[in-house]
Amino acid sequence: MRPDGIVIAIDGPAGVGKSTVGRLVAGRLGYSSISTGKMYRALAWKALENGISLEDDESLVKLAGSLKWGFPKGPGPEAGVSLDGRGLDLELSEERVSKASSGIAKLAGVRLFMCGMQRAAGISGGVVMEGRDIGTNVFPDAELKVYLDASPEARARRREGQLKEQGLEADYARILDFIIKRDAQDSGRKINPLKKAEDAHYLDSTALPCEKVVDAIVDLFKRSPAGRRSAV
Ligand code: DC
């Protein structure tokens, strides 16, 4: 038993809504939520700012180790990321940062560093952690695992909608192409690729609104031994 509750691992491809779902599930259970993609994004952003090669694993690990990482609570239960006291938000959504984060996520040293930080952040439980390898690698012993999927087209449409809502430019074909390439890179890498853990529950959200996905995960929690013990 972990002192603060269980670890809920949510993995899945880019743009499937893991962060939103994770944040909402955490809110319903009184848990915190951690988006591990933000950690890769933060390091990628810093490397771009400092002109460090995105192929140079050793320098990236050195950079990661030299930074003061913070996971401040946002307005909701989601933990954001700060580096050396600077909160990072919009800069992490830049396309160049998305591309760079997927690139550095292939590197063994970077992954080891991130995995260590993620384990430390979730070890006492009471957390919904989302990413690509949470159920397979970071917390293979997570008490509840979900693999959230949706077709690339549905994910591209959603992303297009989000960008337009923010008043930003959005080109569906370009977004779809970007999503397909990132899927291939995240699933095709040698170390800790995006993959459903054998014991993960598979949820296809292509035709499901976000609230239904959240309900489904909260239901899985309620039916789990930890959920039966809790008052949720
Ligand atoms: O979830 P995201 O799109 O914010 O993640 C950005 C990149 O980070 C993603 O392309 C792959 C990488 N990533 C990873 O390799 N492992 C994780 N647990 C989370 C993210």
Side-chain angles (χ1 to χ4, degrees):
M1 268 288 281
R2 303 177 202 271
D4 300 332
I6 66 168
V7 171
I8 302 180
I10 304 181
D11 290 302
V16 76
K18 298 184 299 289
S19 304
T20 310
V21 164
R23 193 170 58 236
L24 293 172
V25 169
R28 294 259 296 266
L29 303 182
Y31 276 22
S32 56
S33 83
I34 296 178
S35 161
T36 58
K38 280 191 184 163
M39 301 181 188
Y40 288 92
R41 285 172 184 269
L43 181 60
W45 172 80
K46 191 70 184 178
L48 289 169
E49 290 294 296
N50 290 13
I52 290 175
S53 159
L54 300 170
E55 315 268 309
D56 184 348
D57 197 13
E58 210 179 310
S59 299
L60 288 166
V61 172
K62 213 160 153 196
L63 172 67
S66 73
L67 296 165
K68 190 170 175 315
W69 291 78
F71 304 106
K73 291 265 179 283
E78 184 176 24
V81 177
S82 71
L83 291 182
D84 293 336
R86 174 183 167 159
L88 298 172
D89 184 24
L90 284 182
E91 45 284 77
L92 299 187
S93 315
E94 291 170 21
E95 193 173 311
R96 65 181 187 126
V97 175
S98 299
K99 211 182 251 169
S101 62
S102 183
I104 65 165
K106 285 190 297 215
L107 304 172
V110 166
R111 293 211 72 84
L112 207 61
F113 183 92
M114 293 295 172
C115 185
M117 211 158 51
Q118 292 155 11
R119 284 194 183 130
I123 195 78
S124 3
V127 69
V128 180
M129 192 173 283
E130 58 88 357
R132 303 289 189 292
D133 64 335
I134 310 306
T136 51
N137 173 52
V138 179
F139 282 105
D141 60 344
E143 291 83 351
L144 177 58
K145 299 182 189 177
V146 173
Y147 187 90
L148 191 56
D149 207 357
S151 72
E153 291 76 14
R155 289 183 277 136
R157 281 266 171 256
R158 275 184 219 156
R159 183 78 189 125
E160 183 192 19
Q162 284 164 355
L163 289 171
K164 284 191 173 154
E165 238 169 59
Q166 294 168 357
L168 298 170
E169 209 180 296
D171 172 357
Y172 172 77
R174 201 173 128 78
I175 298 171
L176 180 61
D177 180 59
F178 190 58
I179 279 187
I180 290 172
K181 287 203 179 110
R182 205 136 73 86
D183 282 358
Q185 191 157 25
D186 292 345
S187 319
R189 67 170 175 242
K190 284 206 190 82
I191 315 164
N192 313 139
L194 166 66
K195 192 168 98 189
K196 179 188 163 300
E198 266 176 31
D199 52 349
H201 300 269
Y202 181 85
L203 278 181
D204 187 339
S205 73
T206 302
L208 271 190
C210 178
E211 314 81 70
K212 295 273 181 223
V213 176
V214 172
D215 285 347
I217 299 176
V218 171
D219 269 357
L220 287 170
F221 172 80
K222 284 184 185 161
R223 284 190 267 126
S224 73
R228 288 198 295 268
R229 278 195 302 272
S230 84
V232 176

